[in-house]
Amino acid sequence: MTYDFLQHYWWFIIALLGSLLVFLMFVQGANSMIFQLGKDEVERRLVINSTGRKWEFTFTTLVTFGGAFFASFPLFYSTSFGSAYWVWVAILFSFIIQAVSYEYQNKAGNLLGVKTFQVCLIINGILGPLLLGGAVATFFTGSNFIVEKVNLTSGLHPVISRWANGSRGLDVLLNPWVVIFGIAVVFLARILGTLYINNNVHDEAIRGRVKKHLLINTVLFLLFFLPFLLKTLIGEGYAVNDSGVIVMESMKYFNNLITMWPLLCLLLVGVVLLLFGVIKTILKADYVRGIWPAGIGVVLVVLVLLLIAGWNNTAYYPSTADLQSSLTLKNSSSSEFTLKTMFFVSFLVPFVLAYIVYAWRKIDIGGISKKDVTGKEESY
């Protein structure tokens, strides 16, 4: 195991966690549609209790994603999580109000009212995917930071990386392409959320509304995602030359796909699976398993996008303030000893995934219906 292999291996692990996180945001997508899928209080409780069984998976994956970044590429963690902290604070705050809203909306003594907490779930359902999507978009568009490793030896100011202005990361939202991709992720989450509710909630009235919203959100997703994808593939990218210098390269990310052609194959398979899940759900009235091919397709597509952002001598976190401050797998990773130790620890990941699958199946046996949310104290 060479140092180079370990760096690429851990970028794959991070990309995998990131792709799983995007899939699990079906929770946020469904929550953003509480009042569209549920027209009365019982129907809304059906939607909320369905996603309420899974929100811990999303939050745990988000924390694991951040932890993996911290352990394997600490310079990214200190630059993004440390310097651009207002974006991450907003993301975490949206997840905090989600957890509180689930637990307290139907508790005795709720002075704010049920709808107040349901609105908070909608805020999380929109704000969470929007900001997370925007954060991912900066892997391609760049961020306004400066890295000065010589500061590490300074006793007075040992700060390696800093944001180039006082916005603490909020300035990335001024980039229209960041916002466009963030909005695309919002509609993608709504697609997955609609498919999940269609599969999990046994209620004909709710399932009868699925096709309309699925079609609308799919069209809107494509309107935002395809321009970003086209611009990314045909535009300039951030390459690392043989001397370790960051340079701009025409069609860098498209070249990455061609050079690493198995990733191009995975991307095409992912697109086909996503479209299959959506189209079959729309065309076939009794088909309710669209979440699985679509979910697998989303995981594959996001995995490929993150891999081409970091593999093949690419700067995965470009700096718009100082090109040579851009982060690469080589200049931002942990030591070889740390990466090698964590390599063996990562063998536990399949066991964790197996537990998640087991817990998911146990929670989801029989789906959910109106009898599960009426007159039960343990329901949300």
Side-chain angles (χ1 to χ4, degrees), residues 228-250:
F228 178 87
L229 180 63
L230 183 63
K231 181 261 181 188
T232 299
L233 293 179
I234 68 175
E236 287 189 317
Y238 299 82
V240 186
N241 65 20
D242 295 336
S243 301
V245 177
I246 314 298
V247 296
M248 301 305 297
E249 179 181 317
S250 178

Side-chain angles (χ1 to χ4, degrees), residues 171-331:
D171 58 314
V172 300
L173 298 178
L174 298 178
N175 186 327
W177 289 108
V178 170
V179 177
I180 286 172
F181 188 75
I183 295 174
V185 175
V186 171
F187 287 119
L188 177 61
R190 287 164 69 92
I191 291 170
L192 295 173
T194 304
L195 291 171
Y196 175 75
I197 294 299
N198 189 49
N199 175 258
N200 188 246
V201 176
H202 296 176
D203 185 86
E204 292 305 317
I206 292 177
R207 283 179 170 171
R209 303 181 188 113
V210 163
K211 291 183 180 181
K212 171 187 172 182
H213 293 295
L214 186 57
L215 179 60
I216 293 173
N217 284 295
T218 300
V219 171
L220 291 174
F221 165 70
L222 293 175
L223 286 176
F224 283 93
F225 177 72
L226 291 179
F228 178 87
L229 180 63
L230 183 63
K231 181 261 181 188
T232 299
L233 293 179
I234 68 175
E236 287 189 317
Y238 299 82
V240 186
N241 65 20
D242 295 336
S243 301
V245 177
I246 314 298
V247 296
M248 301 305 297
E249 179 181 317
S250 178
M251 302 179 67
K252 170 60 176 171
Y253 301 107
F254 178 78
N255 294 336
N256 284 356
L257 281 176
I258 299 302
T259 302
M260 302 179 288
W261 60 266
L263 294 185
L264 177 60
C265 295
L266 281 181
L267 178 66
L268 296 176
V269 170
V271 170
V272 170
L273 286 174
L274 173 59
L275 293 177
F276 173 82
V278 170
I279 294 173
K280 188 170 182 178
T281 300
I282 293 174
L283 296 180
K284 194 170 181 180
D286 59 345
Y287 183 69
V288 298
R289 298 182 62 83
I291 181 61
W292 302 119
I296 294 172
V298 167
V299 169
L300 293 178
V301 170
V302 177
L303 176 66
V304 170
L305 290 178
L306 291 176
L307 289 179
I308 65 172
W311 280 3
N312 195 38
N313 297 315
T314 309
Y316 69 85
Y317 199 48
S319 172
T320 56
D322 174 27
L323 190 60
Q324 301 313 312
S325 290
S326 301
L327 303 187
T328 69
L329 299 187
K330 292 184 181 296
N331 68 16

Side-chain angles (χ1 to χ4, degrees), residues 21-42:
L21 175 60
V22 173
F23 162 67
L24 290 170
M25 281 198 296
F26 69 77
V27 172
Q28 279 64 43
N31 284 344
S32 70
M33 303 177 68
I34 292 173
F35 291 99
Q36 293 170 294
L37 294 176
K39 296 302 183 181
D40 58 42
E41 191 58 37
V42 175

